[in-house]
Amino acid sequence: MRLAGSTAEIVAAVQDWLAHNGEPEPLVVQTSGSTGAPKRVVLPRRAVLASVSATAERLGAEGRWVLALPATYVAGLMVIVRSLVAGKAPILLGPHQTMASTLEWQASMAPLRFVSLVPTQLHRLLDSPTETASLRRFHTILLGGGPIDPSLRARAEKAGLHVVATYGSSETAGGCVYDGVPLPGVRVDLDEDGRIRLAGPMLFEGYDGEPELTAQTLVDGWFVTSDLGRWAPYGRLEVVGRADDVVVSGGVNVPLPAVAARLRKRTDVQEAEVLGVSDVEWGQRVVAFVVGQVGLGDVGLDEIRDWVSEELPRAWAPRQLVMVESMPLLPNGKVDRERLRGLV
């Protein structure tokens, strides 16, 4: 079953799917395509319910969720399922509604317990005292869908919000590692190159119509991800970045997430992404895409190169700077890296 139609129609279809006697046909969920062509992920009901159960066990509670993400992607789908399994219809956040107004309007549907956001959403909500106050009404805010800057999480916690960082994908029915710790039933392994492998009852069955890709990705019961990780203190998983986020520029391996994280520490930088772009001279040219802070003037290439070099190797410093008014986003709130790459 493919997810299609309005959000309300998808909620109704998922409710029928959950109530189906026996094992219904699997859901087919499309990936965001943030780094390439989207894939169609086949998720059986048992995998989806395993994810819901593990999430409730880890959070120590279940209840109503607010849907602030597109219902056609896995993060939004799992919000719907978690809420329905708890016996509560999800609260739908309209495209032109604020979190505060939605919660005020839906006050009769209390208790409001959970919401799932991507970092860009949380960053923008924290800019508004009214929106920040509304977020304090939640038991837990799941934050996933991309790298989480430590300063963003610190800002949220200072505001009194309970944030849990999640790691997972469509292939794992959403987040399966919370704050670096696998959910119950989930196994995590790192291969010799640091690539993350995941196993557990919430794994997908394969890619719709792509048996070769399925065979490359599902190996001996393990989902071989495209992400690199390492073990942090106390056995927590730390996601370093995607395998393709390490580019070779001038013969030097450059981990792009580390460069982007360094740029975000500048007071005159609001948002930053760093990508590798094909280059005749360098092989891959490191390009920084930056949204400047309002009222602090333009950021210069020489400035950011010097800034990066203060903590990281000079060879990692961007060789091109592209200032943008805002980061282009995919419907699910992730940064559209392909559109950024198209700018150069």
Side-chain angles (χ1 to χ4, degrees):
M1 183 179 81
R2 287 180 170 81
L3 302 176
S6 67
T7 300
E9 289 171 338
I10 291 175
V11 172
V14 170
Q15 190 166 25
D16 290 342
W17 182 76
L18 290 171
H20 189 280
N21 290 326
E23 182 68 20
E25 63 174 310
L27 292 177
V28 178
V29 181
Q30 185 164 287
T31 64
S32 65
S34 59
T35 59
K39 298 182 286 288
R40 298 179 302 279
V41 176
V42 179
L43 287 173
R45 186 170 63 179
R46 62 181 179 275
V48 171
L49 293 180
S51 173
V52 171
S53 176
T55 296
E57 183 176 344
R58 174 58 53 82
L59 298 182
E62 59 181 5
R64 195 183 307 280
W65 287 71
V66 171
L67 179 62
L69 298 167
T72 52
Y73 293 109
V74 74
L77 165 67
M78 295 311 300
V79 163
I80 294 170
V81 176
R82 293 184 199 114
S83 205
L84 292 175
V85 168
K88 309 289 185 180
I91 293 176
L92 311 183
L93 183 67
H96 304 296
Q97 293 176 306
T98 66
M99 184 71 73
S101 65
T102 297
L103 299 192
E104 188 65 30
W105 180 61
Q106 299 281 5
S108 62
M109 300 180 72
L112 303 170
R113 305 298 297 273
F114 308 97
V115 67
S116 184
L117 302 172
V118 297
T120 302
Q121 288 176 305
L122 180 59
H123 175 83
R124 294 175 181 178
L125 289 169
L126 286 172
D127 285 340
S128 165
T130 303
E131 295 291 80
T132 301
S134 72
L135 292 177
R136 296 193 187 100
R137 300 179 62 181
F138 290 100
H139 175 283
T140 301
I141 300 169
L142 294 187
L143 190 62
I148 300 169
D149 193 281
S151 64
L152 174 62
R153 182 158 188 173
R155 185 181 172 201
E157 291 175 348
K158 184 178 180 181
L161 310 183
H162 179 221
V163 173
V164 173
T166 72
Y167 167 69
S169 63
S170 302
E171 292 87 345
T172 59
C176 63
V177 178
Y178 284 13
D179 283 338
V181 180
L183 292 183
V186 175
R187 291 176 291 151
V188 180
D189 184 39
L190 301 180
D191 67 18
E192 58 184 14
D193 297 322
R195 191 180 291 260
I196 299 171
R197 303 195 307 159
L198 302 168
M202 58 282 295
L203 283 192
F204 72 129
E205 286 187 343
Y207 296 111
D208 184 36
E210 298 188 76
E212 292 184 5
L213 180 59
T214 299
Q216 296 169 7
T217 309
L218 276 176
V219 181
D220 297 329
W222 291 89
F223 166 44
V224 182
T225 75
S226 298
D227 299 314
L228 301 176
R230 62 188 176 197
W231 296 115
Y234 307 106
R236 293 178 181 268
L237 175 69
E238 182 177 319
V239 181
V240 178
R242 292 180 58 86
D244 56 6
D245 276 343
V246 177
V247 301
V248 180
S249 182
V252 177
N253 289 341
V254 181
L256 302 179
V259 179
R262 173 61 180 161
L263 290 178
R264 295 185 191 115
K265 292 181 180 179
R266 286 182 62 95
T267 57
D268 54 1
V269 171
Q270 182 177 11
E271 297 179 67
E273 293 290 333
V274 179
L275 301 177
V277 177
S278 295
D279 186 274
V280 174
E281 181 180 1
W282 298 102
Q284 290 283 308
R285 182 172 72 260
V286 179
V287 181
F289 300 85
V290 169
V291 178
Q293 289 284 8
V294 177
L296 295 184
D298 291 335
V299 183
L301 177 61
D302 290 340
E303 293 175 76
I304 68 167
R305 284 182 56 80
D306 291 342
W307 175 261
V308 169
S309 302
E310 287 178 10
E311 285 194 1
L312 303 173
R314 182 76 178 182
W316 294 10
R319 298 187 180 278
Q320 183 177 356
L321 169 65
V322 178
M323 298 297 298
V324 294
E325 292 186 1
S326 62
M327 290 294 172
L329 302 178
L330 294 163
N332 63 356
K334 293 183 180 181
V335 173
D336 190 336
R337 294 152 63 96
E338 295 307 306
R339 281 183 60 190
L340 284 179
R341 191 172 279 111
L343 296 178
V344 293

